[in-house]
Amino acid sequence: MSLLAPGHRGCAGCCDALAGKFVLDAVGKDCIVVSPTGCLEVFTTPYPESAWGVPWIHSLFENAAAVASGVEAAYKALGKKNKTKIIVIGGDGATLDIGLQAISGAFERGHDLTYICVDNEAYMNTGVQRSGATPLFASTTTSPAGKVSFGNPQHKKNMPAIIAAHGSPYVATASISYAPDLIKKVKKATETKGPTYVHVHAPCCTGWKFEGSKTIEVGRLAVETAMWPLYEMENGEVTGVRKLKKRKPVEEYLKVQGRYKHLFTAEGGTEEIKKIQAIADWNVKHFGLE
Amino acid sequence: MVVVEGSYAVAHSVKMCKPNVISAYPITPQTHIVEDLSQFVADGEMSCEYMNVESEFSAISALIGASAAGARTYSSTTSQGLALMHEALFNASGMRLPVVMTVVNRALSAPINIWNDQQDSISQRDTGWIQLYAEDVQESADMTPQLYKIAEDEEVLLPAMSCMDGFILSHVYEPVILLEQSLTDEFLPPFSPEFVLDPENPMSFGAFADPSTYTEFRYKQEKAMEAALLKIEEVANEFNEVYGRYYGGLIDSYLLDDAEIVIMAMGSVIGTIKDTIDMLRKEGESIGLLKIRSFRPFPVEAIRTALKNAKVVITLDKNISIGKNEGALCTEVKACLYNTNLRVPVIGFMLGHGGRDIPISTIVKIINKAKLVEKGIFVESEFADLREELI
Amino acid sequence: MKLVIKTTAKPKGTRANKTGTWRSFMPVFDHKLCSKCGICAMYCPEGIIFKLENGYFEPDYDYCKGCGICANECPKKAILMVLEGK
Ligand SMILES: Cc1ncc(C[n+]2csc(CCOP(=O)(O)OP(=O)(O)O)c2C)c(N)n1
Ligand code: SF4
Ligand code: SF4
Ligand code: SF4
Ligand SMILES: [Mg+2]
């Protein structure tokens, strides 16, 4: 039985619920989870209920890494920390944007904790506003496509690189669509001493506008088109990548999502898709995916 | 008795309380406290985790996590740092985590100013933290173990601020009695909360409450503050029994019983007021002092009783609610007298902002102004120490 | 129910909330087509597809939200989504 109980209020087909379940599958009972404000936090803990079968704390949106540092320090000070893993499970907004400073501090201090970013590429809990993780040309409620806009004008922030630059001994990307790989990486991260990081790609049916049954399929397409490369970094060096046997063109990933619909309907969309294809091409080259 | 800096006396008292986790970020005039604590840790005199965080926001956040994990926690900050913590202050109180923090009171920017007033802690009045204000260095030092005992009480479980005036108390060298370890151990029981973050008993902290339960969480915080009213008095007496020192519980007074004019204030200005009273009493004036030690919880009943015989009440505030032309103490004292039969004028004076000195002459001027009430000239509230030539 | 201070909530308390009522389509598992691979259980966001003693899988309909991920991911097409109430 999962340590994340059913009865939670995640949307049918929710990516965050899957990510939470996989993380707990990987870590087991002996852990403490810290969650910043966001979908996963809200839908799992409507007082007096909680879906969590492990000790869990939510404080604020931007301070999860600091709270987790404090938990770790307390466990050390109280002589309790031997095997108990300290885990943060936070959204992309909490991680790449508002909580970045606290994360930087925690990684610099070198606490023994694992930070999992569940990246659904926008602020879902507040209604799909853009975040620093929203990819180029995705339409969100604050970067909508319109008569003179193709949606989000910025590129996705490279968070794993930022963490690696802090000297983290283990940084990995994962996807909810590759569960065994994700679980293996989370295990490795928690078993590595020091502050470690796993960035989990998590397609959100509600925010990305596809049917809930396709959550896993869309995540797989992100990997197969090289829009989401799966790799591991140890002490700043890329030490493992998931190679692609037959890479698919990015259109296959984009066309199944409502947030990219304008690229296929508006004039000039084809040109913009080429820019997205260029991102995938860069990933292939940079990480040696082929 | 030794002569030490105020900050050292406080750092030493923190050491005696044996916190498990300290987390702080440097800001003038709090720095000496955290530097002294760092040195204690570096010299192996304290066994605790000292976290050098990257901001005050993370300092308080880390302590939220640490306290939930069962640790006794300490921080110190002031002014901009305290303002930066604002959101997390509500959070610590709402989660009922008894963090203790020394606030070394300082003015808020802009204009940026590093000197003392009490705008910083007053601005955090409604965050659900206990706030005690110390009169001198010895009281500041002695407040730490008292606040742990109050905050960690099962009936209370609220975070607490020990407020001491920046520079005036933090940087002054005064003869003090440093707290003894054996007495502190006798006075302060270990922190053993009922629920902690523990894989053996996996509870969830910080769940979200909808309209069907949120009100009751607030109500319970208010009840906890009510419990603190009693606890503050009780602990002040217990402290007196163990250490033989007493500064009042919720309030304290000086020549109050027969006084027609009562001055109310908080913090280090109390000393100057006492000197002024001594001086004016010799001239036959009927003046007394009502010191507010606990601003949160606000001791409504104690104040009403203490002001029974007053003819004029003067409040001194080192803060202002901009747009009300009044300091917080003034507003609260007025409010606490309104639904009673006591009909006594309350006259508010704001002074000492941004470190402006408060000499005896300013207090005398205030008293003379307040006495005009007897002639029917009523001042509602005003700045007491404006430099007219600058306006 | 009395409030527990500290906003502490009991573990796994969401089990009180039967999300099966959300469902408009219901996954029906055809054991004849099933290869017992367990992929459906792995990708169910509710974590409520369980292995039976005979090695086949079935969901707990008290909680199944009818998202259809299991049916979409089943490599043997052994799960059929059928309209509720039929
Ligand atoms: C200081 C602060 N600013 C804004 C919010 C509102 N808020 C709550 S959750 C959220 C977005 C969460 O996004 P993300 O971290 O990506 O998690 P998701 O819900 O997408 O899983 C926002 C903006 C808040 N709670 N606190
Ligand atoms: S909006 Fe997305 S992340 Fe949030 S509950 Fe729904 S599916 Fe999950
Ligand atoms: S339809 Fe969705 S919720 Fe129901 S069993 Fe299948 S995967 Fe689980
Ligand atoms: S995924 Fe399909 S084949 Fe595999 S166990 Fe489930 S029902 Fe059987
Ligand atoms: Mg998000």
Side-chain angles (χ1 to χ4, degrees), chain A residues 266-285:
Chain A
E267 204 182 317
T270 323
E271 282 309 301
E272 303 303 292
I273 290 174
K274 283 184 188 153
K275 293 180 188 163
I276 297 178
Q277 184 62 57
I279 297 169
D281 295 346
W282 186 88
N283 284 339
V284 169
K285 226 176 115 194

Side-chain angles (χ1 to χ4, degrees), chain B residues 40-97:
Chain B
F40 293 151
V41 174
D43 290 339
E45 292 174 23
M46 274 180 99
S47 91
C48 76
E49 288 294 315
Y50 186 101
M51 297 173 65
N52 273 308
V53 284
E54 82 299 333
S55 69
E56 288 86 355
F57 196 82
S58 282
I60 182 66
S61 299
L63 297 189
I64 286 169
S67 185
R72 176 171 288 166
T73 53
Y74 177 80
S75 189
S76 178
T77 190
T78 172
S79 180
Q80 313 303 130
L82 187 63
L84 187 59
M85 288 182 180
H86 180 68
E87 186 192 11
L89 296 179
F90 275 101
N91 195 251
S93 175
M95 280 207 262
R96 309 296 296 277
L97 301 170

Side-chain angles (χ1 to χ4, degrees), chain A residues 91-93 118 120-124:
Chain A
D92 49 294
V118 181
N120 53 28
E121 302 191 329
Y123 302 148
M124 296 314 173

Side-chain angles (χ1 to χ4, degrees), chain B residues 333-348:
Chain B
V333 170
K334 282 182 184 172
C336 109
L337 295 181
Y338 189 79
N339 288 331
T340 66
N341 295 326
L342 282 175
R343 277 295 159 258
V344 51
V346 177
I347 306 174

Side-chain angles (χ1 to χ4, degrees), chain C residues 3-59:
Chain C
L3 223 62
V4 182
I5 57 164
K6 284 193 177 178
T7 6
T8 36
K10 289 257 158 56
K12 296 197 172 183
T14 48
R15 294 195 75 89
N17 184 46
K18 301 282 165 72
T19 49
T21 55
W22 295 19
R23 204 167 49 230
S24 43
F25 285 88
M26 170 179 182
V28 176
F29 287 56
D30 184 346
H31 296 171
K32 286 197 295 297
L33 296 176
C34 173
S35 69
K36 304 181 179 179
C37 68
I39 286 175
C40 51
M42 170 164 277
Y43 287 112
C44 170
E46 315 308 314
I48 45 92
I49 301 180
F50 295 104
K51 196 178 191 159
L52 306 174
E53 275 181 14
N54 58 16
Y56 292 112
F57 288 80
E58 280 291 334

